[in-house]
Amino acid sequence: MKKKRQPLFWILLVIILCILCVCAIIAFMWWRGQGLIEGLGNPLNLIPNVAQPTATALPSLPAIAVTDVPTQPVFTLGAAPVLHLAGRSDIVIPKLGEPSDNPIFGCPGLAMELVQETYPAGYRITPGSEFTFSASGRVNYYGGPVEEGVLPDGNPNVMANIEPYGGISGYTGPSGALVGVFLDDAIPNSQTAPERINFNADGVGVDFERLEPQIGQVFFIGDGKNAAGKTQVFVAPLTATRLYIGLIDAPDFQGVSSCYSDNTGGFEYTLQSNQPYQLLPPGTP
């Protein structure tokens, strides 16, 4: 006959089993926590591993330098800047209405003088440099309203044929156009002027892209662009030290350079160069 176990035995057995269960649970929770901490993953896949955001410094932006945008100065020509007086320090311009033996300061049949003749605008330049221009405005060569005058490209329906003066050439091309001339340091008072450039359609014309005039050759500037709208380039001779910009006039734009004092209006222009240049004092021959 077997001996029956006492109730105390069963109570102790239950207590021991409970303690073992609690220890197992604790051990499991500890092991699970270590896995999360050490990044070994979650074996039960109950809680996903979430990457924690990290603070990253933004790259510093370079400082933006604020500078003034250079603008080209706008020069204003009066109604009578005589290009044939460029570099002529040996010629004094008489006062308006004062008689003169120089034909430049006269005009056959002129009833009234409206404006004083002036020396053309002059610049000290670098030999061999290149120039571009932009021009606007109107000049009336017959003393009428300015709005009825011609633009810097001149009047293509009236072609000028003006004689040379001293060492500066004559001019053949659209009448009343803005024109220029390159000089060296010598006074252009020679009795022999260089051959003129023909800016009519049967010559160079006015739609060239690049022009290389000689010392003393009057050249057409106009508005600085050809018919295609392309900026025209003017190259100074290797011996040039000065550039002059002005007008060239005559009775009906034919013959001797003269008849400037009945003009009205004026042109405005800018110029740029690939080499340094300097504006000569106003009124400098």
Side-chain angles (χ1 to χ4, degrees):
M1 181 173 168
K2 292 182 179 180
K3 186 176 179 180
K4 189 183 261 189
R5 289 190 175 95
Q6 298 299 319
L8 181 59
F9 170 80
W10 296 110
I11 292 173
L12 291 173
L13 181 61
V14 170
I15 291 173
I16 290 171
L17 292 174
C18 289
I19 291 172
L20 291 175
C21 289
V22 170
C23 290
I25 292 172
I26 292 173
F28 173 76
M29 294 300 293
W30 177 85
W31 172 81
R32 180 179 169 185
Q34 286 295 105
L36 290 174
I37 292 173
E38 295 174 3
L40 297 177
N42 183 1
L44 296 180
N45 222 8
L46 297 176
I47 300 176
N49 292 324
V50 180
Q52 296 299 316
T54 57
T56 303
L58 294 175
S60 59
L61 297 176
I64 300 175
V66 179
T67 57
D68 294 332
V69 177
T71 57
Q72 296 300 319
V74 178
F75 300 103
T76 301
L77 283 175
V82 183
L83 190 70
H84 274 137
L85 292 178
R88 295 303 301 263
S89 57
D90 56 334
I91 295 178
V92 177
I93 299 175
K95 295 180 180 179
L96 190 66
E98 187 175 285
S100 173
D101 295 332
N102 192 320
I104 279 185
F105 305 113
C107 188
L110 180 64
M112 182 180 296
E113 294 184 301
L114 303 175
V115 63
Q116 175 73 64
E117 299 92 343
T118 64
Y119 296 107
Y123 301 86
R124 179 67 61 178
I125 67 170
T126 304
S129 54
E130 298 181 359
F131 290 87
T132 59
F133 300 88
S134 176
S136 61
R138 288 180 180 271
V139 173
N140 192 317
Y141 289 86
Y142 298 96
V146 175
E147 58 270 20
E148 296 178 5
V150 299
L151 297 170
D153 274 349
N155 185 354
N157 298 318
V158 178
M159 305 311 290
N161 186 19
I162 300 175
E163 296 176 7
Y165 183 83
I168 297 178
S169 78
Y171 171 75
T172 298
S175 61
L178 182 66
V179 291
V181 66
F182 291 112
L183 296 179
D184 52 24
D185 283 332
I187 297 175
N189 56 4
S190 170
Q191 297 302 311
T192 303
E195 182 180 357
R196 73 181 69 188
I197 303 173
N198 181 5
F199 291 101
N200 289 338
D202 59 349
V204 173
V206 296
D207 285 331
F208 53 86
E209 293 186 2
R210 186 180 181 89
L211 189 70
E212 300 184 17
Q214 299 175 14
I215 294 291
Q217 280 187 323
V218 176
F219 58 89
F220 171 93
I221 296 176
D223 65 1
K225 294 179 174 60
N226 62 18
K230 186 172 183 178
T231 299
Q232 296 167 306
V233 178
F234 301 83
V235 183
L238 294 178
T239 56
T241 58
R242 294 178 291 173
L243 163 66
Y244 289 90
I245 300 171
L247 307 176
I248 193 163
D249 199 357
D252 295 323
F253 297 101
Q254 305 293 314
V256 178
S257 180
S258 58
C259 293
Y260 293 88
S261 61
D262 63 339
N263 299 346
T264 58
F267 292 137
E268 293 182 339
Y269 67 94
T270 63
L271 74 159
Q272 292 180 292
S273 178
N274 63 344
Q275 299 293 332
Y277 66 89
Q278 184 179 15
L279 177 67
L280 295 174
T284 302

